Amino acid sequence: MNRLEGERGFCGAGKLARVAAVSVHPGEEPPISGTRGSGTIFFSHCNMRCLFCQNYPISQYGNGREMDTDTLAGEMLRLRELGVHNVNFVTPTPHVPQMLEAVLLARGKGFDLPVVYNTNGYDALETLALLDGVVDIYLPDAKYLSAELAATASETPDYARHNEAALAEMVRQVGFLSVGDDGIAARGVLVRHLVLPGRVGETEAVLAHLSGRHGPELPLSLMGQYFPAWRAAATGGFDRKVTRKEYDRAIDAASLLGFRNVFIQER
Ligand code: SF4
C-alpha cells in the first residue's frame, strides 16, 4: 500500500495527517493531565475496528481535516504556549511518519515538552523502533488476550501477539511511568485496559498475563466507562454498560494480583 501515491489501506489514512481535534485535555490520568492539562492532538483513522468505538466518526469515517507537518508542529508549539504538561498524540499509529516529522520540526523551534504516544497497543515493532528516543511516555491499551474476542470486537484476531511484543518494547525504551515530586509524569509506560460488559473473565486473564510478563509494579489504568457506542448498541453481548459490580471485580482482580500502581475511575 503506497500512501504517497494516494493508495489507502484498512485504516483509511492517506499521505497527509488528518487531525480531528487539538485541545487541552483535563481528563487523562492525573500524572498526564496534571493541573494544566494534556495537549491532545487527536488523529483521524485507526488500525482497529472496535464495534464499540466511542470515536467512530473520527476513527472509522475519518472525520477531521488534513494537516501538513508544518501546521502540525505549529499546533504542538501552540499547545506549549497554552501551558500544557505534554503533547499527547491520540491514535497515532497510522500517522507515525507525519508525527515524527512534526516533532522534529517543533523541537527545532524550542518545543521541550514530553511527547505522549496514546495508542490502542496494536503497533508493529518496526514502527516502535522509529519512536525510540522520540517518545517519552507511552499510553498503550492492553485490550484482549483472546483471539476470538479480538476478532469479534475489533477485527484484529492477532491483537494479543502484537500487543505483548509492543508493550515489551515500550517498557524497554522508557521503563514504567515515573512521577516527579510535582505529581507529573515525564517518562515511562502506563498501560490502559477497558473493562467490557460480561467479560470480566477476559479482564482477569489480561491482568494475569501483564503481571506475569511485567510484574505488579507495572502502572495500570482500569477503565470502566464502556458504553455501547457505534455498532455495539445492535450487537448482543456488547449492548449495555459495564455494571458497578463488574468494574469492582476488575479492581479486585488487579488487587489480588498485587498491582500497586493502579488508576481507577470514580463513577
Ligand atoms: S482502537 Fe480505539 S479509536 Fe480505534 S476503533 Fe478501537 S476504540 Fe476506536
Side-chain angles (χ1 to χ4, degrees):
M1 193 62 55
N2 188 346
R3 284 161 56 183
L4 296 175
E5 295 292 332
E7 296 172 0
R8 293 177 190 251
F10 178 91
C11 70
K15 179 178 170 184
L16 289 177
R18 185 176 280 274
V19 174
V22 178
S23 63
V24 178
H25 188 25
E28 302 283 32
E29 289 81 356
I32 308 297
S33 275
T35 51
R36 303 196 303 269
S38 177
T40 50
I41 296 181
F42 217 117
F43 286 119
S44 311
H45 304 297
C46 187
N47 59 334
M48 296 183 75
R49 196 152 289 156
C50 306
L51 57 84
F52 49 80
C53 184
Q54 297 174 9
N55 298 315
Y56 67 95
I58 297 165
S59 70
Q60 306 303 317
Y61 302 152
N63 285 5
R65 65 188 170 106
E66 285 192 333
M67 213 179 255
D68 62 28
T69 47
D70 272 329
T71 311
L72 202 49
E75 290 295 316
M76 294 175 67
L77 293 162
R78 188 173 67 81
L79 286 167
R80 180 182 178 277
E81 289 303 306
L82 292 173
V84 297
H85 295 288
N86 48 60
V87 164
N88 182 347
F89 292 101
V90 185
T91 322
T93 311
H95 287 110
V96 163
Q98 297 92 335
M99 184 194 101
L100 281 172
E101 203 173 306
V103 171
L104 279 177
L105 285 169
R107 291 268 189 236
K109 293 178 181 172
F111 179 83
D112 55 0
L113 297 179
V115 169
V116 182
Y117 188 81
N118 187 340
T119 172
N120 54 31
Y122 191 50
D123 293 277
L125 291 179
E126 293 84 348
T127 306
L128 296 175
L130 300 171
L131 304 176
D132 196 359
V134 176
V135 167
D136 301 288
I137 297 173
Y138 284 103
L139 295 181
D141 291 338
K143 289 179 182 290
Y144 316 110
L145 204 55
S146 153
E148 195 186 343
L149 182 58
T152 307
S154 298
E155 300 186 25
T156 51
D158 57 355
Y159 178 86
R161 178 166 60 87
H162 291 291
N163 183 245
E164 178 177 16
L167 263 53
E169 172 59 14
M170 292 172 191
V171 170
R172 187 198 69 74
Q173 287 183 18
V174 295
F176 293 165
L177 195 78
S178 57
V179 177
D181 292 341
D182 56 357
I184 308 300
R187 187 176 166 85
V189 176
L190 167 62
V191 175
R192 289 170 163 172
H193 175 78
L194 177 69
V195 182
L196 297 178
R199 291 174 180 81
V200 184
E202 177 73 3
T203 292
E204 289 166 346
V206 168
L207 296 184
H209 187 75
L210 288 172
S211 173
R213 194 74 171 76
H214 299 283
E217 297 296 329
L218 179 74
L220 273 184
S221 182
L222 273 181
M223 301 186 293
Q225 78 264 35
Y226 178 92
F227 69 89
W230 198 32
R231 295 173 174 163
T235 307
F238 291 90
D239 53 355
R240 65 166 174 85
K241 290 182 177 177
V242 166
T243 64
R244 176 80 238 182
K245 203 171 158 191
E246 287 173 324
Y247 187 57
D248 285 346
R249 225 181 102 195
I251 295 169
D252 287 347
S255 175
L256 282 170
L257 286 162
F259 283 106
R260 283 184 276 279
N261 305 311
V262 185
F263 294 94
I264 58 174
Q265 291 174 325
E266 297 298 329
R267 302 190 335 150

